[in-house]
Amino acid sequence: MHDSDPPAPRRKRRVQEQTPVQRALGLLVRREHSRKELTRKLQARGIENEAAEAAVSKLAEAGWQDDTRFAENLVRIRANTGYGPIHIRAELGTHGLDSDQIAAAMDTFEGDWTENARDLVCRRFGEAGPQELPQRRKAADLLARRGFPGDSIRQATRYDPED
Protein backbone atom coordinates (compact mmCIF):
# COMPACT_ATOMS: atom_id res chain seq x y z
CA MET A 1 0.00 0.00 0.00
CA HIS A 2 1.37 3.41 -0.96
CA ASP A 3 0.68 6.74 0.67
CA SER A 4 -1.14 7.85 -2.46
CA ASP A 5 -3.60 4.92 -2.40
CA PRO A 6 -7.01 5.89 -1.10
CA PRO A 7 -8.05 4.08 2.10
CA ALA A 8 -10.12 0.96 1.55
CA PRO A 9 -13.80 1.69 1.98
CA ARG A 10 -15.21 0.48 5.27
CA ARG A 11 -17.89 -2.06 5.02
CA LYS A 12 -21.06 -1.04 6.69
CA ARG A 13 -22.69 -3.73 8.71
CA ARG A 14 -26.30 -3.87 7.82
CA VAL A 15 -28.36 -3.84 10.94
CA GLN A 16 -31.06 -6.37 10.46
CA GLU A 17 -34.50 -5.09 11.38
CA GLN A 18 -35.97 -7.06 14.26
CA THR A 19 -39.28 -8.83 13.81
CA PRO A 20 -42.18 -7.89 16.09
CA VAL A 21 -41.71 -11.18 17.98
CA GLN A 22 -38.00 -10.43 18.54
CA ARG A 23 -38.79 -6.93 19.78
CA ALA A 24 -41.47 -8.25 22.14
CA LEU A 25 -39.12 -10.94 23.43
CA GLY A 26 -36.48 -8.27 24.03
CA LEU A 27 -38.93 -6.46 26.30
CA LEU A 28 -39.95 -9.65 28.11
CA VAL A 29 -36.41 -10.70 28.99
CA ARG A 30 -36.02 -7.47 30.96
CA ARG A 31 -39.18 -7.96 33.05
CA GLU A 32 -42.68 -9.42 32.95
CA HIS A 33 -45.27 -7.50 30.94
CA SER A 34 -49.02 -7.89 30.68
CA ARG A 35 -50.47 -8.70 27.27
CA LYS A 36 -51.99 -5.21 27.02
CA GLU A 37 -48.77 -3.46 28.08
CA LEU A 38 -46.59 -5.46 25.68
CA THR A 39 -48.93 -4.78 22.74
CA ARG A 40 -48.98 -1.05 23.58
CA LYS A 41 -45.17 -0.88 23.79
CA LEU A 42 -44.78 -2.60 20.41
CA GLN A 43 -47.25 -0.16 18.84
CA ALA A 44 -45.32 2.76 20.36
CA ARG A 45 -42.23 1.40 18.57
CA GLY A 46 -43.98 1.63 15.20
CA ILE A 47 -45.34 -1.90 14.87
CA GLU A 48 -48.83 -2.13 13.40
CA ASN A 49 -51.67 -3.24 15.65
CA GLU A 50 -52.28 -6.64 14.00
CA ALA A 51 -48.57 -7.50 13.91
CA ALA A 52 -48.14 -6.49 17.56
CA GLU A 53 -51.12 -8.59 18.68
CA ALA A 54 -49.93 -11.57 16.62
CA ALA A 55 -46.43 -11.34 18.13
CA VAL A 56 -47.80 -11.17 21.68
CA SER A 57 -50.15 -14.10 21.00
CA LYS A 58 -47.27 -16.17 19.64
CA LEU A 59 -45.17 -15.46 22.75
CA ALA A 60 -48.13 -16.23 25.03
CA GLU A 61 -48.65 -19.59 23.31
CA ALA A 62 -44.96 -20.38 23.77
CA GLY A 63 -45.15 -19.48 27.48
CA TRP A 64 -42.96 -16.38 27.30
CA GLN A 65 -45.81 -14.01 28.13
CA ASP A 66 -48.31 -14.99 30.81
CA ASP A 67 -50.81 -12.57 32.38
CA THR A 68 -51.22 -14.82 35.45
CA ARG A 69 -47.47 -14.88 36.10
CA PHE A 70 -47.28 -11.12 35.45
CA ALA A 71 -50.10 -10.41 37.92
CA GLU A 72 -48.66 -12.62 40.68
CA ASN A 73 -45.26 -10.98 40.22
CA LEU A 74 -46.77 -7.49 40.38
CA VAL A 75 -48.68 -8.31 43.60
CA ARG A 76 -45.50 -9.61 45.24
CA ILE A 77 -43.36 -6.65 44.14
CA ARG A 78 -45.88 -3.97 45.12
CA ALA A 79 -46.67 -5.58 48.47
CA ASN A 80 -42.93 -5.79 49.25
CA THR A 81 -42.44 -2.11 48.40
CA GLY A 82 -45.17 -0.87 50.75
CA TYR A 83 -48.35 -0.74 48.66
CA GLY A 84 -51.73 -1.93 49.86
CA PRO A 85 -54.37 -4.10 48.22
CA ILE A 86 -56.50 -1.22 46.92
CA HIS A 87 -53.57 0.29 45.01
CA ILE A 88 -52.45 -3.10 43.68
CA ARG A 89 -55.95 -4.06 42.48
CA ALA A 90 -56.27 -0.74 40.67
CA GLU A 91 -52.87 -1.15 39.03
CA LEU A 92 -53.72 -4.67 37.88
CA GLY A 93 -56.91 -3.26 36.34
CA THR A 94 -54.90 -0.82 34.24
CA HIS A 95 -53.10 -3.79 32.67
CA GLY A 96 -56.27 -5.14 31.10
CA LEU A 97 -56.78 -8.02 33.52
CA ASP A 98 -60.34 -9.11 34.31
CA SER A 99 -61.73 -9.30 37.84
CA ASP A 100 -61.17 -13.07 38.10
CA GLN A 101 -57.48 -12.72 37.15
CA ILE A 102 -57.09 -9.86 39.64
CA ALA A 103 -58.79 -11.83 42.43
CA ALA A 104 -56.62 -14.90 41.72
CA ALA A 105 -53.44 -12.80 41.79
CA MET A 106 -54.45 -11.08 45.03
CA ASP A 107 -55.11 -14.50 46.59
CA THR A 108 -51.46 -15.42 46.00
CA PHE A 109 -50.39 -12.81 48.58
CA GLU A 110 -49.35 -14.78 51.64
CA GLY A 111 -48.66 -11.89 54.00
CA ASP A 112 -50.83 -9.74 56.22
CA TRP A 113 -51.87 -6.32 54.89
CA THR A 114 -52.04 -4.85 58.40
CA GLU A 115 -48.49 -6.08 59.10
CA ASN A 116 -47.34 -4.50 55.83
CA ALA A 117 -48.99 -1.22 56.88
CA ARG A 118 -47.30 -1.39 60.32
CA ASP A 119 -43.92 -2.08 58.70
CA LEU A 120 -44.31 0.95 56.46
CA VAL A 121 -45.30 3.16 59.40
CA CYS A 122 -42.30 1.91 61.42
CA ARG A 123 -39.94 2.62 58.54
CA ARG A 124 -41.27 6.16 58.25
CA PHE A 125 -41.88 7.05 61.91
CA GLY A 126 -39.45 4.86 63.83
CA GLU A 127 -39.98 1.69 65.84
CA ALA A 128 -42.29 3.41 68.33
CA GLY A 129 -44.64 4.43 65.53
CA PRO A 130 -46.56 7.71 65.41
CA GLN A 131 -47.12 9.04 68.94
CA GLU A 132 -48.91 12.37 68.58
CA LEU A 133 -52.16 12.98 66.72
CA PRO A 134 -50.54 15.00 63.86
CA GLN A 135 -48.06 12.16 63.28
CA ARG A 136 -50.88 9.62 63.33
CA ARG A 137 -52.76 11.67 60.72
CA LYS A 138 -49.64 11.83 58.54
CA ALA A 139 -49.21 8.07 58.87
CA ALA A 140 -52.89 7.48 58.03
CA ASP A 141 -52.61 9.75 54.96
CA LEU A 142 -49.50 7.86 53.82
CA LEU A 143 -51.24 4.50 54.16
CA ALA A 144 -54.36 5.75 52.38
CA ARG A 145 -52.24 7.05 49.46
CA ARG A 146 -50.49 3.69 49.32
CA GLY A 147 -53.84 1.87 49.03
CA PHE A 148 -54.40 0.28 52.42
CA PRO A 149 -57.96 -0.33 53.66
CA GLY A 150 -59.38 1.63 56.61
CA ASP A 151 -59.12 -1.19 59.17
CA SER A 152 -55.42 -1.72 58.39
CA ILE A 153 -54.84 2.03 58.63
CA ARG A 154 -56.56 2.24 62.03
CA GLN A 155 -54.60 -0.70 63.43
CA ALA A 156 -51.27 0.49 62.04
CA THR A 157 -51.58 4.09 63.26
CA ARG A 158 -52.60 3.11 66.79
CA TYR A 159 -49.64 0.82 66.90
CA ASP A 160 -48.36 -0.39 70.24
CA PRO A 161 -44.98 -2.12 69.85
CA GLU A 162 -45.89 -4.41 72.75
CA ASP A 163 -48.84 -5.93 70.80
Side-chain angles (χ1 to χ4, degrees):
M1 205 177 217
H2 298 288
D3 289 338
S4 60
D5 290 343
R10 286 186 169 211
R11 287 189 183 174
K12 279 191 171 179
R13 276 185 64 207
R14 279 192 19 209
V15 177
Q16 192 171 7
E17 188 66 29
Q18 287 185 318
T19 67
V21 172
Q22 289 170 328
R23 294 186 84 174
L25 191 56
L27 291 167
L28 282 173
V29 295
R30 290 183 189 95
R31 71 167 177 86
E32 294 281 348
H33 287 74
S34 68
R35 197 177 182 99
K36 178 182 176 182
E37 178 185 28
L38 193 55
T39 304
R40 182 184 48 76
K41 282 189 173 185
L42 290 174
Q43 290 168 345
R45 287 165 170 75
I47 295 172
E48 292 180 18
N49 190 26
E50 291 88 32
E53 288 177 5
V56 173
S57 291
K58 187 173 183 177
L59 289 173
E61 289 168 18
W64 287 94
Q65 191 284 322
D66 183 358
D67 276 346
T68 302
R69 188 175 60 225
F70 164 79
E72 291 170 0
N73 191 37
L74 189 104
V75 169
R76 186 176 52 258
I77 290 169
R78 294 297 183 260
N80 288 339
T81 54
Y83 287 93
I86 297 167
H87 174 95
I88 296 169
R89 270 193 197 90
E91 186 173 351
L92 287 170
T94 66
H95 287 280
L97 303 175
D98 65 35
S99 58
D100 291 340
Q101 289 173 308
I102 292 171
M106 294 302 291
D107 288 344
T108 64
F109 177 67
E110 295 176 352
D112 177 9
W113 293 114
T114 301
E115 263 318 299
N116 273 22
R118 282 184 178 158
D119 289 345
L120 182 59
V121 168
C122 283
R123 285 197 311 263
R124 292 289 170 93
F125 295 92
E127 278 301 312
Q131 298 300 311
E132 304 299 319
L133 188 59
Q135 268 193 327
R136 282 193 177 137
R137 284 189 182 135
K138 270 186 166 179
D141 287 346
L142 168 69
L143 294 174
R145 283 192 310 274
R146 289 292 188 105
F148 286 94
D151 59 335
S152 292
I153 292 172
R154 278 188 292 284
Q155 290 176 13
T157 55
R158 286 170 178 47
Y159 181 55
D160 182 2
E162 302 303 315
D163 278 350

